[in-house]
Amino acid sequence: MMGMFGENVNESRMKKGNAMNNNNNNLCEDEEIEVGIGKMEMDDNREPLLVKRVNTTSQIAIVGSNTCPIESLDYEILENELFKQDWRSRKKVQIFQYVVLKWAFALLIGLGTGVVGFFSNIAVENIAGYKLLLTTYLLNKDRYYLAFAAYLGFNLTLATAAGSLCAFIAPAAAGSGIPEVKAYLNGIDAHSILAPSTLFVKIFGSVLGVSAGFVVGKEGPMVHTGACIASLLGQGGSRKYRLTCKWLRFFKNDRDRRDLITCGAAAGVAAAFRAPVGGVLFALEEAASWWRSALLWRTFFTTAIVAMVLRASIVFCSSGRCGLFGQGGLIMYDVSSAKVTYSGADVLAVILLGIIGGIFGSLYNYLIDKVLRTYSIINEKGAGFKVLLVAVIAVLTSLCAYGLPWSAKCIPCPTDISVACPSTEESGNFKSFQCPSGHYNDLASLFLNTNDDAIRNLLSTSTENEFKISSLLTFFVAVFFLGVITYGIAIPSGLFIPVILAGACYGRLVGKLFKSISKLDTGLFALLGAASFLGGTMRMTVSLCIILLELTNDLLLLPLVMLVLLISKTVADNFNKGVYDQIVELKGLPYMEAHAEPYMRNLVVGDVVPGPLVTYFGVEKVGNIVHALTTTGHNGFPVIDEPPFSEAPELCGLVLRSHLLVLLKGKVFSKERVRAGEEILRRFAAFDFAKAGSGKGIKIEDLDFSEEEMEMFVDLHPITNTSPYTVVETMSLAKAAILFRQLGLRHMCVVPKSQERPPIVGILTRHDFMPEHILGLYPHIKPHK
């Protein structure tokens, strides 16, 4: 039978609220639900009485038109009898095999991500390079309208292809992907974010989008790509395609899969920026919510493999067989040739850059927030509207890139340079555009280049007079607003490159203003400006600092980069959250912060325990289990033992819905209410209850039982986690929230303070710690106190 005490409906029923999806990909439409939330009172016979309140702040996440709840990942090891039997039976050779496989998977993740990074660079360089060569050729022939038609036609075709891939095949691939990976590593299993189709679209959609001239980068999507590769390797095989191996069973759990995906995220940064140490620090500072020393070694090993793959690919392409990829080396934007000496005036300029970066970064995040909310309305109308929006932004971007250089005046070529002026190839600092021989158009040198080449131009040293102030202002305004309106359309799009471009522009402007009193090169000012804008937008410090130093190969700038990042982050934090935190919130993902909100200290866990609670006896009737699984969406059920199985009612543990379904499918039933654990241990192995991969798991609708079977009993003890984490109902809610996050829990059992009451009060999941839920229950609470 089942008891009604007060339970958590949140893992399957969550509210509307802030659920907004910038690309309508893996998030949910809004739906309002009333959920009964109760506290326990007891009558004279010690029977539970439910006192109901109405909670209108639960959240539910829906993909497209189908209800698809966002569930939590369970990083806790479920210590049931099957697990203990499996652990005891493992031999030393199997433990050694498990360790070796972990390192082998880290190696494969590094190799796979490195190869994808190499492919993306080659593809973008050659596709965009051919487009720019054709445009330049037609411009040199004074066929300006035909040049624009060719440029626009290329961009529109590439953009439409990228948008169609995202809209029709894998909507979850749109956007950066970093917020989704960050949410996954926090314990949120959002729909399709790491699916094979998402990986496919992420790679090819990113290549097409960047080649189409959008103000986006392929660097952010590389993090998502690395995580998808790691997820595929960490699935533990596939039952659907019969690719299961006995030795892969070790990885069919959330904890090992999380570790591999952390390695994949670090590998993605290493492949994108060719910054292996920066990748490790990015995973530690921004992506992962849980960390340990063993994971540090594996991520470092993975990023080292990525660096080796990229170095080998650069050597392979050094003869020019791969487009322009081989010319950049492992360091993308080398500024080490500039002399780094600075004085008090330079420090003042750096402080000014930090303040400007903080203000612009917070404004950038504010505008992106508004744009994403607007795009969510458009994207809800269907895939066709998504592609149409992509095409509109592609046309607008092409008009800016081709039209704005006409407003710039031609500049005579400098005489003290070793490169061709004007540039004759698809990239270069000196684009002739419409200028006569011996002159160049500085604005065309920024717009009619790939984003990487534009950054190289802005960060180039010993080029104080290469760009006019008016051109830098024009490019900054264009890139700033194009970056804002481009993020959120249905293409894979990274935020790093637009931010670096805009930051380098105003950094170079500040360098020009301080030219009379500064000793720093304007190229170094551009780098510091990029750092300030990154700090103001991303709100990262350590990882960004190392990434920028690995990008530019200039360790002497370390003190100034550290200073500008600290100032920009501090200034921006006074206005709003970091851009990735904002996007996570917009997507309605129940993200657990590392700190508890101040008002949580005024509440105890008993104040937010929801209900009704569905419990099972240790030996339960099949019909009762089927009824509960059919009528509720709960994913965890407390198991209670009563006489004759125990001297008094006691909490035996917690059983998962997925484990119950496997047990019911095996139909190890008995006509009498007796323990049959030994038979279950013989019939099942721990691998049978392992977490399913990206394929479909068992559903209650797939099972069929006769009337006789519904009256039989099943022993739940072998699959019950006998050591769930429990807290007393009088514990501070703030303390429980920190404990929940640090342990990576999915369910937290709440037990009564008095022993005379039932052995469990309720279950808490991450939803119960969400501000929207708590403030909905207690609207009189002030959020900041």
Side-chain angles (χ1 to χ4, degrees):
M1 72 185 282
M2 296 177 293
M4 303 286 290
F5 298 166
E7 189 245 3
N8 198 357
V9 284
N10 42 338
E11 288 243 328
S12 62
R13 307 223 292 258
M14 294 174 143
K15 163 187 171 178
K16 165 177 180 179
N18 293 330
M20 298 195 69
N21 178 8
N22 58 327
N23 300 300
N24 199 22
N25 48 11
N26 54 3
L27 282 219
C28 306
E29 296 173 358
D30 298 337
E31 178 176 328
E32 192 145 327
I33 298 177
E34 287 191 354
V35 182
I37 303 296
K39 288 181 67 177
M40 297 307 305
E41 291 186 2
M42 307 295 296
D43 65 5
D44 294 336
N45 298 320
R46 298 298 171 191
E47 292 295 328
L49 300 175
L50 185 62
V51 181
K52 298 195 80 175
R53 296 194 297 268
V54 174
N55 169 27
T56 59
T57 59
S58 306
Q59 292 183 333
I60 185 164
I62 301 176
V63 183
S65 60
N66 300 321
T67 301
C68 184
I70 292 178
E71 297 186 0
S72 293
L73 299 170
D74 199 347
Y75 297 146
E76 178 189 3
I77 296 298
L78 302 178
E79 295 183 354
N80 54 36
E81 287 299 321
L82 280 164
F83 168 80
K84 292 176 181 177
Q85 176 179 268
D86 179 69
W87 184 257
R88 287 191 295 263
S89 66
R90 290 188 185 181
K91 301 176 182 178
K92 288 185 178 180
V93 64
Q94 292 176 309
I95 297 174
F96 176 76
Q97 185 184 48
Y98 169 67
V99 174
V100 170
L101 281 173
K102 272 194 169 184
W103 286 98
F105 278 170
L107 171 67
L108 292 175
I109 292 168
L111 290 173
T113 310
V115 169
V116 170
F118 172 56
F119 165 77
S120 297
N121 276 283
I122 289 180
V124 169
E125 291 284 355
N126 286 279
I127 295 174
Y130 180 79
K131 174 189 71 177
L132 294 171
L133 272 176
L134 178 61
T135 305
T136 302
Y137 171 79
L138 293 173
L139 282 169
N140 292 335
K141 297 291 186 179
D142 296 335
R143 304 175 72 178
Y144 301 122
Y145 290 107
L146 185 58
F148 175 67
Y151 183 73
L152 177 61
F154 260 99
N155 287 347
L156 197 56
T157 302
L158 294 170
T160 304
S164 299
L165 284 175
C166 281
F168 294 102
I169 298 179
S176 168
I178 293 178
E180 287 84 354
V181 173
K182 182 177 178 179
Y184 182 93
L185 294 177
N186 186 260
I188 301 168
D189 192 9
H191 180 65
S192 296
I193 61 173
L194 300 174
S197 58
T198 303
L199 173 62
F200 172 81
V201 174
K202 204 74 181 184
I203 296 172
F204 292 97
S206 176
V207 169
L208 293 171
V210 175
S211 301
F214 284 117
V215 184
V216 297
K218 58 185 178 296
E219 286 72 17
M222 275 303 303
V223 176
H224 197 176
T225 299
C228 288
I229 292 172
S231 177
L232 290 179
L233 291 173
Q235 293 291 333
S238 171
R239 292 176 181 173
K240 180 179 178 181
Y241 298 106
R242 297 182 180 180
L243 298 176
T244 56
C245 294
K246 184 177 180 181
W247 48 271
L248 285 175
R249 70 183 187 276
F250 301 124
F251 297 93
K252 297 189 81 68
N253 63 83
D254 286 331
R255 176 175 288 189
D256 286 321
R257 196 174 300 172
R258 171 198 66 188
D259 290 351
L260 292 175
I261 290 171
T262 303
C263 292
V269 174
F273 296 105
R274 306 173 206 173
V277 179
V280 175
L281 293 175
F282 174 85
L284 172 60
E285 181 182 7
E286 182 67 12
S289 295
W290 297 277
W291 199 265
R292 60 183 189 276
S293 58
L295 186 57
L296 178 67
W297 279 102
R298 272 194 291 278
T299 53
F300 187 72
F301 172 72
T302 305
T303 56
I305 296 299
V306 173
M308 293 172 64
V309 171
L310 292 177
R311 171 54 67 187
S313 64
I314 289 167
V315 172
F316 173 76
C317 294
S318 58
S319 61
R321 291 174 290 181
C322 307
L324 299 179
F325 176 73
Q327 297 183 11
L330 194 62
I331 306 298
M332 291 180 69
Y333 317 120
D334 197 338
V335 298
S336 59
S337 58
K339 186 177 180 181
V340 181
T341 58
Y342 44 89
S343 60
D346 298 314
V347 175
L348 288 176
V350 170
I351 293 174
L352 176 62
L353 278 175
I355 295 172
I356 295 173
I359 294 172
F360 277 136
S362 58
L363 175 62
Y364 195 81
N365 293 358
Y366 172 80
L367 293 175
I368 280 185
D369 179 271
K370 298 302 180 183
V371 168
L372 292 183
R373 292 177 184 274
T374 304
Y375 283 174
S376 66
I377 300 172
I378 300 173
N379 290 332
E380 285 175 359
K381 297 181 182 296
F385 283 88
K386 293 182 184 180
V387 178
L388 179 62
L389 180 60
V390 171
V392 170
I393 301 300
V395 172
L396 180 61
T397 303
S398 300
L399 285 171
C400 289
Y402 191 85
L404 289 177
W406 290 93
S407 64
K409 294 182 179 179
C410 296
I411 304 173
C413 287
T415 57
D416 56 343
I417 57 173
S418 58
V419 296
C421 179
S423 303
T424 56
E425 298 181 354
E426 62 269 30
S427 64
N429 282 32
F430 306 101
K431 287 278 187 179
S432 62
F433 200 59
Q434 87 290 8
C435 295
S437 177
H439 293 71
Y440 72 96
N441 187 314
D442 60 340
L443 202 50
S445 300
L446 297 174
F447 274 116
L448 295 180
N449 258 322
T450 63
N451 293 331
D452 283 351
D453 286 329
I455 293 175
R456 287 192 183 94
N457 293 347
L458 288 170
L459 299 186
S460 60
T461 55
S462 303
T463 55
E464 289 184 9
N465 301 315
E466 181 178 336
F467 300 102
K468 294 181 296 186
I469 291 179
S470 59
S471 297
L472 290 173
L473 282 172
T474 302
F475 188 70
F476 168 73
V477 173
V479 166
F480 187 94
F481 286 103
L482 285 175
V484 168
I485 65 173
T486 302
Y487 192 85
I489 62 176
I491 62 168
S493 52
L495 284 169
F496 275 93
I497 293 302
V499 170
I500 291 175
L501 279 170
C505 277
Y506 70 71
R508 204 170 179 96
L509 283 170
V510 171
K512 282 182 171 290
L513 294 176
F514 280 79
K515 182 172 64 173
S516 59
I517 58 175
S518 173
K519 298 179 181 179
L520 280 179
D521 190 280
T522 53
L524 300 183
F525 270 109
L527 171 62
L528 294 172
S532 70
F533 203 3
L534 283 169
T537 306
M538 313 295 180
R539 312 295 163 82
M540 295 182 284
T541 52
V542 180
S543 56
L544 275 181
C545 181
I546 300 304
I547 288 172
L548 287 171
L549 293 179
E550 288 186 283
L551 274 175
T552 56
N553 195 28
D554 199 340
L555 192 62
L556 296 176
L557 275 179
L558 176 62
L560 296 182
V561 173
M562 292 173 67
L563 179 62
V564 78
L565 284 171
L566 288 171
I567 294 173
S568 62
K569 181 185 184 303
T570 303
V571 171
D573 280 339
N574 291 303
F575 296 99
N576 49 33
K577 294 181 179 180
V579 64
Y580 296 136
D581 293 323
Q582 283 190 172
I583 294 171
V584 167
E585 187 175 330
L586 279 171
K587 287 177 174 289
L589 300 173
Y591 187 85
M592 290 283 295
E593 299 288 350
H595 60 277
E597 298 293 337
Y599 58 82
M600 289 184 179
R601 302 187 183 279
N602 301 321
L603 299 171
V604 297
V605 294
D607 293 329
V608 298
V609 170
L613 178 67
V614 179
T615 65
Y616 293 130
F617 289 135
V619 180
E620 185 60 88
K621 185 181 289 187
V622 173
N624 290 339
I625 299 175
V626 172
H627 175 73
L629 295 179
T630 304
T631 57
T632 72
H634 308 333
N635 289 292
F637 301 87
V639 177
I640 295 175
D641 267 341
E642 288 189 343
F645 302 107
S646 62
E647 295 181 358
E650 64 180 18
L651 177 63
C652 177
L654 191 75
V655 65
L656 297 180
R657 168 184 284 265
S658 58
H659 291 185
L660 285 170
L661 291 171
V662 174
L663 185 63
L664 290 176
K665 186 177 181 181
K667 296 190 176 184
V668 186
F669 306 148
S670 60
K671 293 184 178 180
E672 303 295 330
R673 194 166 180 259
V674 295
R675 298 189 64 160
E678 292 184 1
E679 184 179 355
I680 292 174
L681 293 175
R682 288 194 301 268
R683 286 276 304 273
F684 293 96
F687 176 69
D688 297 324
F689 295 89
K691 176 165 179 146
S694 58
K696 205 168 151 186
I698 304 174
K699 293 185 177 181
I700 186 62
E701 294 81 7
D702 300 331
L703 304 181
D704 186 32
F705 303 98
S706 64
E707 291 185 8
E708 182 181 0
E709 288 173 331
M710 294 287 276
E711 295 299 319
M712 299 177 75
F713 294 89
V714 60
D715 186 6
L716 303 182
H717 290 94
I719 64 169
T720 299
N721 179 17
T722 55
S723 57
Y725 284 93
T726 60
V727 296
V728 69
E729 61 183 339
T730 54
M731 176 183 281
S732 163
L733 186 61
K735 188 175 181 180
I738 294 172
L739 180 68
F740 190 97
R741 186 189 191 274
Q742 289 181 343
L743 294 174
L745 302 182
R746 183 179 186 181
H747 301 100
M748 176 182 280
C749 298
V750 181
V751 296
K753 188 175 182 181
S754 171
Q755 295 183 354
E756 298 178 354
R757 298 172 58 190
I760 184 169
V761 175
I763 296 178
L764 295 177
T765 62
R766 66 174 51 241
H767 166 65
D768 297 298
F769 297 102
M770 293 295 106
E772 295 83 3
H773 172 73
I774 298 169
L775 296 176
L777 293 176
Y778 302 98
H780 63 279
I781 291 179
K782 295 182 179 180
H784 303 295
K785 292 186 178 180

